[in-house]
Amino acid sequence: MTDPHLITSLPHLDRTYDAAPVAASLIKELPFINDAYRTLIAASPFCVLATCGPDGLDASPRGDGPGFVRVLDEKTLLLPDRRGNFRLDSLRNIIADSRVGLLFLIPGVGETLRVNGRAVISTEPDLLASFAVEGNAPRSVLRITVDTIFFQCARALTRSKLWDPTQYVDRHSLPSTGTLTVAARDSKHDTSEFDASAYDAILTERQKATLY
């Protein structure tokens, strides 16, 4: 029996919300990067990169110093692929489907910036060299053509109190990285050896040494 409370069609969705988009939400959407949006990108040290591919969807955190995503021109962003875990989920997806989404966050600021576009993966030597940090260049840079860009109001971050220091969670109250790895291993019935304590003991220093 079909659940009558599931929304499975656009007419049903329209009836449920019964409201036109707020006018300002349409006005702020642009097909290019204007000076105001360029300023937000320059201030952001963090974004989420969303991709899609034959094996599904992926949302990957990306971060570095403010302005690490470079505005090449009003239609183009450059995003270096810094060192990570080498799963390459995002890059594999982009090879199959060039569509991407970006969500930029700025510490202490409620508004976010959203970008929808198409990406290609470049290994052009001079481009890689221009993104080098501490003598280490990224393996590749995403060249993103902007289709739409707009800012999102602060409601979500206000409700979540994301930047409120009184709401910060003590990291030690949650499972450590090593503990999380062991839990995942056990959930997969993997019997390989893994020392969570030893892993946690050197994690911070290892991450510092392999940032770039």
Side-chain angles (χ1 to χ4, degrees):
M1 183 176 178
T2 303
D3 185 344
H5 301 293
L6 294 179
I7 298 175
T8 59
S9 70
L10 292 178
H12 189 178
L13 181 65
D14 291 338
R15 289 195 305 272
T16 300
Y17 281 84
D18 189 27
V22 177
S25 73
L26 302 178
I27 292 172
K28 64 190 179 183
E29 182 175 332
L30 298 176
F32 62 90
I33 306 166
N34 66 6
D35 288 343
Y37 289 162
R38 182 187 291 257
T39 300
L40 297 182
I41 294 169
S44 174
F46 179 86
C47 70
V48 177
L49 170 66
T51 59
C52 56
D55 295 325
L57 306 176
D58 186 70
S60 175
R62 302 298 170 110
D64 208 338
F68 76 102
V69 176
R70 187 181 301 167
V71 179
L72 180 64
D73 55 49
E74 67 175 14
K75 289 290 290 183
T76 312
L77 294 172
L78 300 174
L79 171 56
D81 187 55
R82 298 298 185 197
R83 184 167 177 171
N85 54 22
F86 296 107
R87 285 178 56 105
L88 308 183
D89 296 313
S90 300
L91 302 185
R92 294 180 192 280
N93 281 349
I94 288 169
I95 289 174
D97 188 327
S98 66
R99 293 176 297 171
V100 299
L102 294 171
L103 177 67
F104 289 92
L105 282 80
I106 303 171
V109 176
E111 289 78 15
T112 57
L113 187 70
R114 295 169 59 178
V115 175
N116 296 310
R118 292 159 286 116
V120 294
I121 307 168
S122 176
T123 59
E124 197 276 314
D126 288 343
L127 180 60
L128 299 184
S130 73
F131 278 100
V133 176
E134 298 178 1
N136 297 308
R139 299 282 185 94
S140 67
V141 172
L142 296 184
R143 186 185 297 269
I144 300 168
T145 299
V146 173
D147 291 330
T148 60
I149 182 170
F150 55 99
F151 75 90
Q152 186 85 24
C153 77
R155 288 190 185 91
L157 272 70
T158 299
R159 286 191 293 259
S160 67
K161 300 182 180 179
L162 184 64
W163 305 128
D164 182 352
T166 66
Q167 301 300 310
Y168 288 179
V169 176
D170 179 4
R171 181 63 184 88
H172 294 95
S173 70
L174 300 173
S176 70
T177 302
T179 301
L180 290 169
T181 303
V182 169
R185 182 201 61 180
D186 292 347
S187 295
K188 298 171 71 173
H189 306 292
D190 184 338
T191 59
S192 61
E193 292 294 324
F194 183 83
D195 189 331
S197 297
Y199 185 86
D200 287 335
I202 62 172
L203 177 61
T204 300
E205 290 305 314
R206 183 172 66 248
Q207 288 179 338
K208 288 180 180 179
T210 59
L211 280 179
Y212 299 100

PDB file of all heavy atoms in Angstrom, residues 4 43-44 50 63 71 83 98 118 136 160 189:
ATOM      1  N   PRO A   4       0.362   7.580   1.845  1.00  0.00           N
ATOM      2  CA  PRO A   4      -0.211   8.829   1.338  1.00  0.00           C
ATOM      3  C   PRO A   4       0.557  10.063   1.804  1.00  0.00           C
ATOM      4  O   PRO A   4       0.342  11.163   1.290  1.00  0.00           O
ATOM      5  CB  PRO A   4      -1.629   8.826   1.897  1.00  0.00           C
ATOM      6  CG  PRO A   4      -1.531   8.008   3.151  1.00  0.00           C
ATOM      7  CD  PRO A   4      -0.532   6.929   2.825  1.00  0.00           C
ATOM      8  N   ALA A  43      36.844  35.436   1.259  1.00  0.00           N
ATOM      9  CA  ALA A  43      36.853  35.374   2.721  1.00  0.00           C
ATOM     10  C   ALA A  43      36.655  33.952   3.248  1.00  0.00           C
ATOM     11  O   ALA A  43      36.827  33.709   4.446  1.00  0.00           O
ATOM     12  CB  ALA A  43      35.751  36.275   3.285  1.00  0.00           C
ATOM     13  N   SER A  44      36.313  33.028   2.371  1.00  0.00           N
ATOM     14  CA  SER A  44      35.950  31.686   2.823  1.00  0.00           C
ATOM     15  C   SER A  44      37.147  30.744   2.868  1.00  0.00           C
ATOM     16  O   SER A  44      37.848  30.570   1.869  1.00  0.00           O
ATOM     17  CB  SER A  44      34.887  31.089   1.897  1.00  0.00           C
ATOM     18  OG  SER A  44      34.631  29.741   2.238  1.00  0.00           O
ATOM     19  N   ALA A  50      30.053  19.083  -3.931  1.00  0.00           N
ATOM     20  CA  ALA A  50      29.098  18.021  -4.222  1.00  0.00           C
ATOM     21  C   ALA A  50      29.263  17.566  -5.666  1.00  0.00           C
ATOM     22  O   ALA A  50      29.390  18.391  -6.581  1.00  0.00           O
ATOM     23  CB  ALA A  50      27.673  18.510  -3.996  1.00  0.00           C
ATOM     24  N   GLY A  63      39.128  22.654   2.280  1.00  0.00           N
ATOM     25  CA  GLY A  63      39.493  23.824   3.070  1.00  0.00           C
ATOM     26  C   GLY A  63      40.962  24.169   2.995  1.00  0.00           C
ATOM     27  O   GLY A  63      41.815  23.312   2.734  1.00  0.00           O
ATOM     28  N   VAL A  71      39.126  33.001  -7.863  1.00  0.00           N
ATOM     29  CA  VAL A  71      38.256  33.486  -8.931  1.00  0.00           C
ATOM     30  C   VAL A  71      39.140  33.874 -10.108  1.00  0.00           C
ATOM     31  O   VAL A  71      39.896  34.849 -10.043  1.00  0.00           O
ATOM     32  CB  VAL A  71      37.417  34.695  -8.467  1.00  0.00           C
ATOM     33  CG1 VAL A  71      36.543  35.199  -9.609  1.00  0.00           C
ATOM     34  CG2 VAL A  71      36.558  34.318  -7.256  1.00  0.00           C
ATOM     35  N   ARG A  83      46.036  17.512  -0.534  1.00  0.00           N
ATOM     36  CA  ARG A  83      46.282  16.135  -0.122  1.00  0.00           C
ATOM     37  C   ARG A  83      45.164  15.629   0.778  1.00  0.00           C
ATOM     38  O   ARG A  83      44.695  16.326   1.684  1.00  0.00           O
ATOM     39  CB  ARG A  83      47.614  16.063   0.614  1.00  0.00           C
ATOM     40  CG  ARG A  83      48.023  14.657   1.006  1.00  0.00           C
ATOM     41  CD  ARG A  83      49.456  14.617   1.445  1.00  0.00           C
ATOM     42  NE  ARG A  83      49.844  13.296   1.895  1.00  0.00           N
ATOM     43  CZ  ARG A  83      51.095  12.952   2.176  1.00  0.00           C
ATOM     44  NH1 ARG A  83      52.063  13.846   2.063  1.00  0.00           N
ATOM     45  NH2 ARG A  83      51.379  11.728   2.576  1.00  0.00           N
ATOM     46  N   SER A  98      30.273  16.048 -15.181  1.00  0.00           N
ATOM     47  CA  SER A  98      30.993  17.280 -14.846  1.00  0.00           C
ATOM     48  C   SER A  98      30.226  18.202 -13.903  1.00  0.00           C
ATOM     49  O   SER A  98      30.791  19.178 -13.402  1.00  0.00           O
ATOM     50  CB  SER A  98      31.338  18.054 -16.123  1.00  0.00           C
ATOM     51  OG  SER A  98      30.154  18.517 -16.776  1.00  0.00           O
ATOM     52  N   ARG A 118      30.003  23.355 -13.687  1.00  0.00           N
ATOM     53  CA  ARG A 118      30.594  22.187 -14.337  1.00  0.00           C
ATOM     54  C   ARG A 118      32.108  22.264 -14.185  1.00  0.00           C
ATOM     55  O   ARG A 118      32.684  23.344 -14.311  1.00  0.00           O
ATOM     56  CB  ARG A 118      30.209  22.154 -15.812  1.00  0.00           C
ATOM     57  CG  ARG A 118      28.719  21.877 -16.056  1.00  0.00           C
ATOM     58  CD  ARG A 118      28.243  22.320 -17.417  1.00  0.00           C
ATOM     59  NE  ARG A 118      28.124  23.786 -17.482  1.00  0.00           N
ATOM     60  CZ  ARG A 118      28.847  24.535 -18.277  1.00  0.00           C
ATOM     61  NH1 ARG A 118      29.771  24.002 -19.059  1.00  0.00           N
ATOM     62  NH2 ARG A 118      28.690  25.849 -18.283  1.00  0.00           N
ATOM     63  N   ASN A 136      54.811  22.431  -1.877  1.00  0.00           N
ATOM     64  CA  ASN A 136      54.052  21.288  -2.371  1.00  0.00           C
ATOM     65  C   ASN A 136      52.878  21.749  -3.226  1.00  0.00           C
ATOM     66  O   ASN A 136      51.981  22.448  -2.738  1.00  0.00           O
ATOM     67  CB  ASN A 136      53.529  20.446  -1.210  1.00  0.00           C
ATOM     68  CG  ASN A 136      54.651  19.851  -0.385  1.00  0.00           C
ATOM     69  OD1 ASN A 136      55.546  19.210  -0.922  1.00  0.00           O
ATOM     70  ND2 ASN A 136      54.615  20.071   0.913  1.00  0.00           N
ATOM     71  N   SER A 160      21.052  26.396  13.947  1.00  0.00           N
ATOM     72  CA  SER A 160      22.018  25.402  14.418  1.00  0.00           C
ATOM     73  C   SER A 160      23.004  25.960  15.440  1.00  0.00           C
ATOM     74  O   SER A 160      23.683  25.192  16.124  1.00  0.00           O
ATOM     75  CB  SER A 160      22.809  24.852  13.232  1.00  0.00           C
ATOM     76  OG  SER A 160      23.642  25.868  12.664  1.00  0.00           O
ATOM     77  N   HIS A 189      32.836  -6.746   9.795  1.00  0.00           N
ATOM     78  CA  HIS A 189      33.350  -8.066  10.187  1.00  0.00           C
ATOM     79  C   HIS A 189      34.767  -8.284   9.652  1.00  0.00           C
ATOM     80  O   HIS A 189      35.140  -9.381   9.240  1.00  0.00           O
ATOM     81  CB  HIS A 189      32.415  -9.177   9.699  1.00  0.00           C
ATOM     82  CG  HIS A 189      30.994  -8.994  10.143  1.00  0.00           C
ATOM     83  ND1 HIS A 189      30.603  -9.094  11.462  1.00  0.00           N
ATOM     84  CD2 HIS A 189      29.874  -8.676   9.437  1.00  0.00           C
ATOM     85  CE1 HIS A 189      29.297  -8.859  11.556  1.00  0.00           C
ATOM     86  NE2 HIS A 189      28.832  -8.607  10.341  1.00  0.00           N
TER      87      HIS A 189
END
